[in-house]
Amino acid sequence: MVLTTQLVDYLNKELQVATIKDYCPNGLQIEGCADIRHLVTGVTASQQLIDAAIEAGADALLVHHGYFWKGESEPLVGMKKRRIASLLAHDINLLAYHLPIDMHHQWGNNAQLGALFELSNVVPLEAVSPAGIVYQGETSTTLGELSALIEQKLDRPLVVCEGKADKPVNKVAWCTGGGQGFIEQAAMAGCDVFITGEVSEQTIHIAREMGIAFIAAGHHATERYGVKAVGEHLAGEFGLKVTFIDIDNPA
Ligand SMILES: [Zn+2]
């Protein structure tokens, strides 16, 4: 058991919330009960995940995609009202960490993906700031083999662009989620391939014209690992019951 305030203070410090500028508040977004025994983790605080957390008897829900995004409609109506009402009715704390969970050097989505893809010398790509938004790593493989490995690890079909299957791949850059806008920086840094979750129409043209291979592996699929790693750490650190619940999302 841990006090909610204690857990939030710990996470805010470990995930360096105070130093990271973001598009949403990071930390405790909705206050629930005062102490936590069972923590449910998941990618997005959708109604389906909330319902699963209620069913599991969670005291807190820890997610990568929470609420209150810059530019979203503010009134608590419709879908937004239903989600928040469900959490409040069951006294469930909502903890959300967006960029801090992408960027963390050990538990972060990017760092975790580097390990999952069996890359070596995994470090933030220097050309991009703040450090940790985009990562780079090394391997000695081909585009075909790397694509097959990613498809198998993430268990979903990929969008793969430009470059033949036998194209040698040594330097890889990646950004989990919707990171397709970083493809030019990856190309300029001399990477052979850039991997992210989502693809835009223009991404394909940039890949072709800048001579970098590109892989879109799913926003959800590439962002399952950070929040899961944080949860596993918290289970050990505070002796909490922690359950990762994956609500599948093909996007
Ligand atoms: Zn995301």
Side-chain angles (χ1 to χ4, degrees):
M1 197 267 284
V2 62
L3 290 173
T4 302
T5 49
Q6 193 189 346
L7 186 72
V8 171
D9 287 348
Y10 179 83
L11 282 174
N12 286 354
K13 182 169 158 282
E14 292 295 324
L15 295 171
Q16 297 175 302
V17 163
T19 62
I20 296 171
K21 262 198 182 156
D22 210 335
Y23 317 98
C24 64
N26 288 304
L28 184 62
Q29 288 194 339
I30 295 175
E31 188 179 341
C33 52
D35 40 51
I36 297 167
R37 287 173 184 78
H38 187 187
L39 173 73
V40 164
T41 59
V43 178
T44 301
S46 62
Q47 188 71 53
Q48 234 184 316
L49 182 61
I50 294 165
D51 292 346
I54 293 167
E55 177 82 31
D59 305 303
L61 179 59
L62 170 69
V63 296
H64 178 50
H65 300 138
Y67 304 148
F68 315 120
W69 299 91
K70 228 171 242 174
E72 77 173 24
S73 172
E74 287 161 355
L76 289 181
V77 298
M79 180 181 87
K80 191 172 182 177
K81 176 252 173 180
R82 290 192 295 273
R83 289 172 166 186
I84 292 174
S86 301
L87 288 165
L88 291 174
H90 292 86
D91 229 7
I92 297 176
N93 293 281
L94 178 68
L95 284 76
Y97 295 90
H98 179 234
L99 292 182
I101 276 189
D102 286 322
M103 294 161 62
H104 191 271
H105 64 96
Q106 187 186 349
W107 311 319
N109 280 322
N110 283 327
Q112 291 288 319
L113 215 62
L116 188 73
F117 296 165
E118 300 168 3
L119 302 169
S120 49
N121 299 325
V122 168
V123 289
L125 184 75
E126 264 183 28
V128 176
S129 90
I133 294 280
V134 180
Y135 263 63
Q136 65 167 50
E138 289 164 17
T139 181
S140 178
T141 186
T142 61
L143 184 59
E145 283 170 0
L146 181 66
S147 304
L149 175 93
I150 294 173
E151 205 164 66
Q152 182 241 320
K153 294 281 186 185
L154 298 182
D155 191 24
R156 68 190 48 226
L158 312 176
V159 174
V160 182
C161 165
E162 217 37 34
K164 301 192 170 59
D166 61 356
K167 177 188 164 103
V169 170
N170 298 304
K171 192 171 170 188
V172 181
W174 65 96
C175 171
T176 64
Q180 61 269 52
F182 292 110
I183 187 172
E184 287 183 69
Q185 274 121 309
M188 286 188 289
C191 297
D192 301 306
V193 58
F194 180 65
I195 306 162
T196 188
E198 297 188 17
V199 58
S200 299
E201 195 268 355
Q202 71 212 50
T203 320
I204 304 301
H205 298 295
I206 297 168
R208 286 175 180 163
E209 291 175 37
M210 293 190 80
I212 184 170
F214 172 76
I215 298 175
H219 190 134
H220 174 87
T222 55
E223 298 204 314
R224 284 185 293 222
Y225 303 93
V227 79
K228 190 163 182 274
V230 172
E232 283 162 10
H233 171 78
L234 294 174
E237 185 72 24
F238 294 103
L240 290 176
K241 178 179 178 191
V242 177
T243 311
F244 174 74
I245 298 179
D246 190 32
I247 305 293
D248 192 45
N249 181 336

